[in-house]
Structures are given as structure tokens and as C-alpha cells.
Amino acid sequence: MVAPLYTTTSGLLFHAGKILVLTVGLPARGKTHISRALERYLRWMGVKTRVVSMGDYRRNTLGEAQKLPPDYFNLGEKSSDAEVMRRKVEEGCEELIWEFFESGGQVVIYDANNGRSDARAQLAEKFDKTGIHIIFLEFYCDNKEIIEQNIRNIKIYSPDYKRCPDKAVEDYYGRIRDHEKYYEPVEELTWPSIRIVNAGEKILLNKIQGRGYLHSRIVFFLMNIHNRFRTIWFARSGQSLIEHSYKADLDLSPAGWEYAEKLKDVVHSRRMKVLQERGIDPAKRKLVIWTSTRRGAHHTAWPFLSNPLSDDADADGLEITQSTATSNPAKVILPEQTKVVEKTQMLEINPGIWDGLTPDQAKKYHPGDWDRFTKDPYSYRAPRAESYHDLSVRLEPTLMELERESEDLLIIGHASVIRCLLAYLIGLPASKIPEIEVARGDLLEIIPSYGIHSKAFHFWDGPGRKGRSGGGNGYQLGQDHNNFYENCMEDTKGKRIGGNLTSEICEILMDEKREPLILGLRGHGAQCVVDALNDVLHQNVLPAEQGKRGLSILCKLAKMASVIPRCYELKGVEYDSQPFDGGGFADVYKGKYQNQAVCLKMVRTFQKNQCNPLALHAKELALWAFISHPNTLPFYGVYVDQRTQRFCFVSPWMANGNLCDYLESYPHAPRPLLVSDIIHGLSYLHELGIVHGDLKGVRTFSVISCDSSANFCFRKMF
């Protein structure tokens, strides 16, 4: 069920009290994946839940696995240094658990091995004495296929192996061999326990029956979960002959059929690439497509059943918002490998009295209802309509089917339905559902593996995309005023509570306990937070201390999640074929952006370093984007060359060169003025808590503008 609309004085729901779930299992058994999934489900129910991950805490305090003593992960005898480190991590995790419960939290999932019976019993007794209910959640697996798949997931997604993914397999098999010597399965009957055998093949319960509603919901969810690798895509249905009427159930327009063909090509191309990257034979996997029972939705899926991949299909042409371009795979798609399922639960939200109206018309003809709706767009129900809360309750069975589905899944639906499903998957509060923008022509990709990883691909600019219309040689923005969403309730107009954004971020920044939750975000969730923080910081409305804290969190999250504010992603940058200069890690090109000369610092990539360049530089880019001073170098944004896939920092082009070049050309230039400008720039950086390293005229003070003032960037430019 979705979160209830009521609250309780204690903040606890369902008379369940506080619950501590202790995960138990050998490495690579799927503990992290299922812990995150359970956290997502309980939060959707409105239960204040948090995963305390020993691995995440260890990485934040001690660093990556490669920086630790070789015997740190041994369950047997360890060196004194390793013992001290492990004790520090264990005590830190326990402190986080206590803090969350004391701050009003209801459920904590402690994601750790907990392989020794005496140690986990001692931990359980400590919390049980304070009235906290204990559940042992054991992951037993003897299926080698599942273990190998889990290790592949760790190799790709674990932060420990971003720099050296090939070492993950060797490390984890070594850990498994060591832990097997000392591991003690949950045989004690003292505590309530759940044993998941082979990722859901069988579930054994002990003392769970009769514990209460929340315990039963946890078991119900775990009975529907699996950890098989799959990809979930979301896409809007094609344009119908009549778009804005809930009662009209008409076929696709000509542009809608064209959209459906394009969607088929994009999904097949993207799916083939994902499966090939994972080493999975596409012939052994099915593509399942869910649609509603309305014609526009299920007719959008028809091309998947009738036609192979088009000869002119090319995924390289996608405009990708959070990924690299894809390559055009082999065009072998068999219709019998595709299954289309129509679901009545996936019908669009019912607009009631607003059916057939634009948002402006709804505001004009029903001002009282519109006013109440804009104050509470999630739970307010207009006459004869559904609220988003009603829709979320209706979609509850679909969410469970979503968890059970083990094949690749494409969901073709209406904006309101996709909003609810997306909010569940990426962990957004239910109250934020009406604000999620879901545009026709964007393919959203979700991979639930070692957390949730999301990407977005733009593939369509034709009729039916909101705010665009045909005309001339292309599509122009803002011309088709009648081309709104399927119905008024599908639009986001009036549902974005932008005025509360500043106060919400202030509240978050004042609560230090929320920082680990924010830094734990990945994919779409991290992108949304980075965008929001960047917007608020640039408004200069936060108090000084909260501003510094906000900037610190922005930089940390940008680095950990490998995301930057989307407003700094540049398109249409041109540059010379030969570099102007270069250094140890980048080449410098002169280019042009919006008819202005710019400097492109193109980062070099080396075979031994397979990291995404954005992961290495996201923190610095987020910080650079925030800096604004007459004596610092402006930051325009980031450009990715689609042909070479090289990553570039874009800034103004300074014709006078670096400081050394300038003084060589103008030996009589007044040094005191230049020194003064440098001091002012450094002073500004120091006020922000930024310390520049490796100060050299040829590297750092790289830009002397036409007015002879010294501008410099907080990091090396060459």
C-alpha cells in the first residue's frame, strides 16, 4: 500500500513499534540489492526506513577496499590495525542506528555480513533491551549462477572497484573462501528470522507469524523480490487523434504511429547494447511490454510484435541526457521474444470535472477546486476525479508485479502512471509524484542492481511532444498551444511547489543526520538533488553557514554519484582539429560556442584508468560552477564530443594567454596590479574554504583578459 494520508504522534505506523533488520549472509549473496529494495518499499508505505550499510560507512571513513590492510575482511585472526579499523566501523554503524531510531525512525536495515552467531546475538540483545524488535534476514545461496551474477553486479556498480573493476572477481572469491571457514548460519530459534534461499527460490520463517501488520508486509514483499539482472524502460504512449479527452479512446494519429516505430527502434537498439555489455545472449531473454487497455497505449506496442528492427535504426543518433551514445547492434529481433500485456490498473488518472480542459481553463471554470488542488496536488480529489493518492493505491498490485517480473520490461503508459511507478523505483516521496515531468519522446532506463541506476534518452521531437509543433524545416518551441497532455491531470502545471524549495533545502541543511541519506542517492535521485541544490545556491537566499554546507554536500554528492547540474551540459560546441596546447592530463583546443570564442580542456583517458571522467572531475566541476568573482575564470559547462566520446571543460578563451606569456609580451606591465588581482582571487577562494594547490603562472594563472586583469581558476588549466 502507498503511504497513508494520516500521521501519528509518535511518527510510527501500523502499531508495529521500531524494527531492526539484521542481514546475515556470505559475500555476494544479494544482501545490498534486497536491502535497498526493501527500504524503497517501506518508504513507499510511509514507514521511516533507513539502510545502514557497513560497506558504505567503511568507504566513507576508511576509503576503498584497496586502501585497507589485506586481512581487513577476514573473519578469523586479523592484525591489530585491521581489528582497530573494523571496531571503528562497527561502532560507527551502531551509532548511526541509534541516531536514526532516536530521531523518529521506525525501521533500520543493517546491511552487513553478521556471520558470527555470538556477535549478532550480542548486537540483537543490545537493541532488544530498549524495546526494538529484531529480525534476522539471512541470505542463503548455493547456486553458483546467482553468485557469479552478484559478483558481476559488484564488479560493475560497487564503488570499491570503480578504478579497477577486474579485481572485483578475484577479491570476492577470496572473501567467500575465507568467510566460509567461519560462517555460522542462523540456526538459533531465539529471534524472529527469515531465510531467503537462492534469491527467492524458497523462504523459511521463524517466529514471524502473529508479529503484526508491518512484519507481514515485509514477508509479503520478500516473497515477490528477486535479483536477476533486468532493465526497465518507461515511455509515453504515442499521440492519439484526440489527446485531451479521458472519455475518448481513439487510435494513434499518423505522428503517433511514426513515434511508435521510432520507440521500437530505440528500445531494441538500447536493449541489445545492454545485454551485450553484460554478456547475455539476447535469444535467451524476452522483452515484456506493459500497456494500459486504452488504444493509444497498446497500439504503441504493436510495432514490437510485427516488425523487426528498421534498416535505418541507429541508436547513435540519440540525444542522451545522462549516458554515452550507443552503437547500432545487429538487427535481429524476433517478435516471438516479445510479450505484450494490457493492464486495466495502468489507465491514466481520471480528471473528473476537468476532462477536456486545459490547466488554464480548469483554473478559469473551477477556481475553488483549482486553488485547493494547487495547495495539495497529491491528495486533493476534484469532483468525480481521482487524486494521485487514489492512483497510487490503484497501482499497488502493479508494483508487486513489477518486483516479480524477471525479464526485461518496457512500460508504455500515460504520464500520471509513469510518475507513480518512477517515484516508487527511485525512492521519491509520494507527495512529489505530481511534480515529475514525463515528456513524450524521452526513454527512461532503470537498472535495479546494487541500488537503482537510471539514464534518460531523448529520441523524438515530432508532433505530440509538449510545446512543439510542425512547421518549416523542423519543430518550433511553444507554438502548439492545444498540444497538452492527455488530460489536465496529466500536466504538471500548477503542481510544482517551487516556493517551498528553498525552505525544504534549508530544513535539510539544518539536519546533519540527513546528510548520509542524501550522499547515498544515485542515478535520477542524485541528479534531482544536485539540480535543486545548484539552483538554490545560485539564488543566494541561504544563510552563510547553510550556503557553505549546501555547497559541500553538492560537491560530495556530485563526486560520489558522478553527476553534475544538468544546466551545464552544453550542445553545439565547435573546436579546431588540432590542439592549441596540452599538459599531463588534458589537451587544450580553441573553439566556438554561440558565436563566442571558447577554450576546451579535453580530458585524456588512459587504458589503465577505466573510470568515467565525470566521476573523477564531478566534484571540481560542481565547485567551479558555483565560483563567481572578477578574478576567477568563468565556467561555461561540460561538452561531450559524440564522435570521440571525449570529455571537455568549456570556459572563455583568453587571447593574452597565461601569466607568463602575458609578461613576456608586455614586460613593462605593472606587476603590483597583477599581484593585487591574484591576491583578491585567492582571498575569495579562501573565504569559500577552497585551497588551491600547485600554484604556477604557466599552469594556474592561465588567462589574462583584454583589460589586463589577472583571472585564474581554482584548479590547473593546463
Side-chain angles (χ1 to χ4, degrees):
M1 62 173 289
V2 71
L5 296 178
Y6 64 85
T7 58
T8 62
T9 304
S10 65
L12 309 181
L13 295 178
F14 313 120
H15 307 283
K18 298 180 179 181
I19 300 174
L20 173 61
V21 180
L22 298 173
T23 65
V24 181
L26 292 167
R29 260 54 180 182
K31 296 186 296 297
T32 297
H33 171 69
I34 293 181
S35 295
R36 296 292 181 186
L38 179 58
E39 176 193 38
R40 183 176 69 239
Y41 176 69
L42 293 177
R43 284 184 176 178
W44 177 258
M45 290 178 60
V47 178
K48 296 176 182 177
T49 308
R50 178 180 179 183
V51 170
V52 174
S53 169
M54 179 177 281
D56 287 346
Y57 186 86
R58 183 257 305 160
R59 278 184 286 270
N60 291 335
T61 55
L62 303 180
E64 299 173 356
Q66 289 74 29
K67 299 179 181 179
L68 302 175
D71 59 346
Y72 176 86
F73 295 100
N74 295 351
L75 280 187
E77 294 185 3
K78 291 181 281 291
S79 64
S80 58
D81 289 344
E83 286 283 3
V84 171
M85 289 181 177
R86 284 194 69 88
R87 174 50 54 189
K88 177 182 178 182
V89 171
E90 290 169 0
E91 291 175 352
C93 289
E94 287 184 33
E95 185 65 28
L96 289 179
I97 295 172
W98 286 118
E99 288 178 357
F100 185 72
F101 281 136
E102 290 168 1
S103 64
Q106 186 167 6
V107 177
V108 171
I109 304 167
Y110 186 22
D111 178 17
N113 290 332
N114 293 312
R116 304 291 289 265
S117 61
D118 55 343
R120 63 178 176 254
Q122 183 180 359
L123 183 63
E125 289 171 1
K126 188 183 301 184
F127 286 92
D128 180 65
K129 289 178 181 178
T130 63
I132 295 172
H133 303 291
I134 306 297
I135 299 177
F136 288 154
L137 179 57
E138 184 179 18
F139 298 81
Y140 176 83
C141 183
D142 57 6
N143 186 318
K144 293 184 178 179
E145 245 182 74
I146 295 176
I147 295 172
E148 289 175 1
Q149 176 187 309
N150 290 339
I151 292 177
R152 283 198 299 269
N153 292 340
I154 292 166
K155 173 181 175 180
I156 294 173
Y157 298 112
S158 173
D160 276 330
Y161 300 100
K162 279 189 175 181
R163 299 180 185 275
C164 47
D166 294 333
K167 198 175 180 183
V169 177
E170 178 187 346
D171 276 7
Y172 259 77
Y173 276 120
R175 288 190 206 177
I176 292 171
R177 287 191 296 269
D178 174 75
H179 282 230
E180 285 175 339
K181 300 175 187 176
Y182 307 97
Y183 179 75
E184 297 170 327
V186 179
E187 302 291 351
E188 57 268 33
L189 303 179
T190 311
W191 307 100
S193 62
I194 304 170
R195 174 180 288 184
I196 301 176
V197 180
N198 290 335
E201 182 181 290
K202 182 167 58 176
I203 293 183
L204 304 177
L205 307 178
N206 172 56
K207 290 189 175 181
I208 295 293
Q209 297 86 341
R211 290 280 174 173
Y213 177 76
L214 190 53
H215 287 71
S216 67
R217 295 300 295 188
I218 290 174
V219 173
F220 171 69
F221 176 79
L222 294 174
M223 292 176 67
N224 289 278
I225 196 72
H226 66 86
N227 68 344
R228 188 187 188 200
F229 176 81
R230 43 95 182 248
T231 307
I232 304 171
W233 291 279
F234 293 91
R236 290 275 307 280
S237 54
Q239 182 191 43
S240 299
L241 292 171
I242 297 180
E243 278 276 273
H244 52 277
S245 174
Y246 177 79
K247 297 175 183 176
D249 184 14
L250 299 182
D251 206 344
L252 295 176
S253 67
W257 286 110
E258 183 183 344
Y259 169 91
E261 288 286 348
K262 183 65 175 176
L263 175 63
K264 174 206 66 178
D265 292 341
V266 170
V267 170
H268 280 326
S269 298
R270 184 65 198 152
R271 179 170 178 260
M272 292 290 286
K273 179 175 177 61
V274 171
L275 293 178
Q276 288 171 357
E277 287 176 348
R278 302 285 304 195
I280 299 174
D281 183 3
K284 297 181 180 179
R285 297 292 293 266
K286 283 188 176 181
L287 173 64
V288 178
I289 303 175
W290 291 357
T291 76
S292 74
T293 54
R294 295 181 75 88
R295 292 181 182 179
H298 74 256
H299 283 186
T300 304
W302 277 15
F304 288 87
L305 297 176
S306 57
N307 300 321
L309 193 63
S310 302
D311 292 334
D312 59 348
D314 186 1
D316 285 331
L318 295 177
E319 178 186 335
I320 298 176
T321 61
Q322 196 178 325
S323 175
T324 56
T326 59
S327 58
N328 190 18
K331 299 177 174 62
V332 182
I333 304 296
L334 303 177
E336 55 266 28
Q337 292 177 295
T338 303
K339 177 183 178 182
V340 177
V341 181
E342 297 179 22
K343 293 181 177 293
T344 55
Q345 299 102 322
M346 288 178 54
L347 288 173
E348 64 192 282
I349 191 170
N350 188 337
I353 60 172
W354 292 338
D355 186 26
L357 304 181
T358 67
D360 290 333
Q361 289 171 335
K363 182 178 180 180
K364 177 181 178 181
Y365 299 135
H366 305 281
D369 289 304
W370 183 261
D371 183 59
R372 290 190 288 274
F373 171 69
T374 54
K375 290 178 180 177
D376 189 3
Y378 172 71
S379 60
Y380 179 71
R381 181 191 299 125
R384 300 190 295 279
E386 281 183 303
S387 68
Y388 269 94
H389 180 75
D390 297 330
L391 178 60
S392 300
V393 172
R394 193 221 299 169
L395 288 171
E396 167 76 11
T398 305
L399 294 179
M400 286 300 98
E401 292 183 56
L402 182 65
E403 295 289 0
R404 282 197 298 269
E405 182 59 64
S406 58
E407 300 289 351
D408 291 334
L409 179 63
L410 169 63
I411 297 176
I412 300 175
H414 309 275
S416 52
V417 173
I418 293 176
R419 286 187 187 116
C420 294
L421 299 178
L422 270 180
Y424 167 74
L425 283 174
I426 64 180
L428 286 179
S431 60
K432 299 296 183 184
I433 290 174
E435 303 176 36
I436 301 174
E437 186 73 56
V438 182
R440 180 178 282 129
D442 290 345
L443 178 69
L444 307 177
E445 179 180 284
I446 304 289
I447 299 179
S449 181
Y450 212 88
I452 292 292
H453 305 269
S454 60
K455 298 177 182 177
F457 304 88
H458 173 66
F459 67 92
W460 175 260
D461 277 320
R465 183 169 174 86
K466 185 181 179 184
R468 292 180 180 265
S469 65
N473 297 324
Y475 299 100
Q476 299 176 351
L477 289 170
Q479 297 295 318
D480 188 358
H481 299 293
N482 292 319
N483 186 15
F484 45 88
Y485 281 96
E486 287 97 331
N487 64 60
C488 174
M489 291 292 289
E490 297 274 275
D491 206 327
T492 54
K493 186 170 184 179
K495 303 169 192 173
R496 294 187 177 274
I497 316 174
N500 293 334
L501 182 61
T502 301
S503 59
E504 289 178 5
I505 289 182
C506 285
E507 182 181 342
I508 292 172
L509 296 178
M510 289 175 65
D511 187 357
E512 295 184 1
K513 296 176 183 177
R514 296 195 188 185
E515 183 171 340
L517 296 176
I518 297 173
L519 298 181
L521 293 171
R522 295 295 181 270
H524 184 76
Q527 184 68 68
C528 291
V529 172
V530 165
D531 289 339
L533 273 174
N534 182 72
D535 290 343
V536 172
L537 288 172
H538 277 84
Q539 292 173 13
N540 293 322
V541 294
L542 297 178
E545 287 303 316
Q546 290 181 10
K548 288 183 179 180
R549 181 170 175 77
L551 180 59
S552 173
I553 292 176
L554 171 63
C555 294
K556 289 178 183 177
L557 181 58
K559 179 179 181 181
M560 296 172 70
S562 300
V563 295
I564 61 170
R566 278 178 284 200
C567 60
Y568 295 113
E569 297 174 1
L570 304 182
K571 303 290 182 183
V573 179
E574 302 174 356
Y575 62 92
D576 297 340
S577 58
Q578 296 298 321
F580 178 84
D581 205 340
F585 73 98
D587 294 317
V588 175
Y589 290 79
K590 184 176 182 180
K592 182 183 291 187
Y593 177 64
Q594 294 184 349
N595 295 321
Q596 181 179 349
V598 293
C599 171
L600 282 79
K601 185 174 66 171
M602 191 172 291
V603 179
R604 294 176 183 164
T605 56
F606 301 95
Q607 187 173 1
K608 68 177 182 178
N609 185 0
Q610 298 296 327
C611 288
N612 178 359
L614 185 58
L616 295 175
H617 302 287
K619 176 180 178 180
E620 294 166 292
L621 291 176
L623 188 59
W624 188 3
F626 179 75
I627 289 172
S628 177
H629 189 271
N631 300 121
T632 60
L633 180 67
F635 174 66
Y636 285 168
V638 173
Y639 173 68
V640 178
D641 189 314
Q642 297 299 322
R643 181 177 54 84
T644 64
Q645 290 303 298
R646 293 186 68 182
F647 183 83
C648 310
F649 310 147
V650 183
S651 58
W653 179 263
M654 296 297 178
N656 289 328
N658 59 49
L659 184 61
C660 296
D661 292 338
Y662 179 76
L663 291 177
E664 186 175 342
S665 300
Y666 302 95
H668 301 295
R671 265 69 168 179
L673 292 178
L674 296 176
V675 172
S676 174
D677 286 341
I678 292 169
I679 291 173
H680 282 109
L682 280 173
S683 176
Y684 168 74
L685 296 182
H686 292 171
E687 289 174 0
L688 297 176
I690 302 169
V691 178
H692 192 295
D694 196 18
L695 291 173
K696 296 181 182 179
V698 69
R699 294 183 177 182
T700 307
F701 306 104
S702 56
V703 283
I704 306 298
S705 63
C706 295
D707 62 358
S708 300
S709 63
N711 293 335
F712 70 96
C713 174
F714 71 98
R715 57 167 293 119
K716 294 186 295 184
M717 290 301 297
F718 295 129

